[in-house]
């Protein structure tokens, strides 16, 4: 990784970390090390949420909103 893309990489990592906290997948509790987090379970829940959002978007295609 070159130094030029390091800030972008860190921004993406931090954004994802904060998103996982907001979604309730990670705790802000600092006593639990990240190595103890069940990453497979988190990824499964992320995939479920992604599929749910996709289904909502795909079901709304062609329906114009006046708002």
């Amino acid at each position: 990784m070159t130094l030029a893309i390091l800030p972008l990489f860190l921004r993406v990592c931090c954004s994802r970390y904060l998103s996982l906290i907001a979604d309730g997948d990670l705790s802000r509790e600092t006593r639990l090390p990240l190595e103890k987090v069940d990453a497979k379970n988190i990824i499964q829940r992320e995939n479920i949420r992604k599929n749910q959002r996709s289904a909502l978007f795909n079901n709304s295609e062609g329906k114009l909103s006046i708002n």
Side-chain angles (χ1 to χ4, degrees):
M1 181 179 325
T2 65
L3 289 179
I5 63 170
L6 183 60
L8 176 61
F9 174 77
L10 292 175
R11 188 177 320 130
V12 169
C13 290
C14 291
S15 295
R16 184 153 188 253
Y17 178 73
L18 292 173
S19 176
L20 290 171
I21 289 172
D23 289 338
D25 289 324
L26 286 179
S27 171
R28 292 187 70 143
E29 179 60 51
T30 58
R31 287 182 250 155
L32 178 66
L34 284 177
E35 66 187 25
K36 301 290 184 187
V37 171
D38 185 358
K40 287 181 182 180
N41 193 10
I42 289 174
I43 291 170
Q44 287 175 343
R45 288 194 306 262
E46 280 186 307
N47 285 330
I48 290 169
R49 279 193 302 273
K50 182 182 101 178
N51 291 337
Q52 289 171 338
R53 284 191 302 269
S54 293
L56 287 173
F57 177 75
N58 290 334
N59 289 339
S60 67
E61 285 183 8
K63 298 178 186 174
L64 298 176
S65 174
I66 60 171
N67 295 332

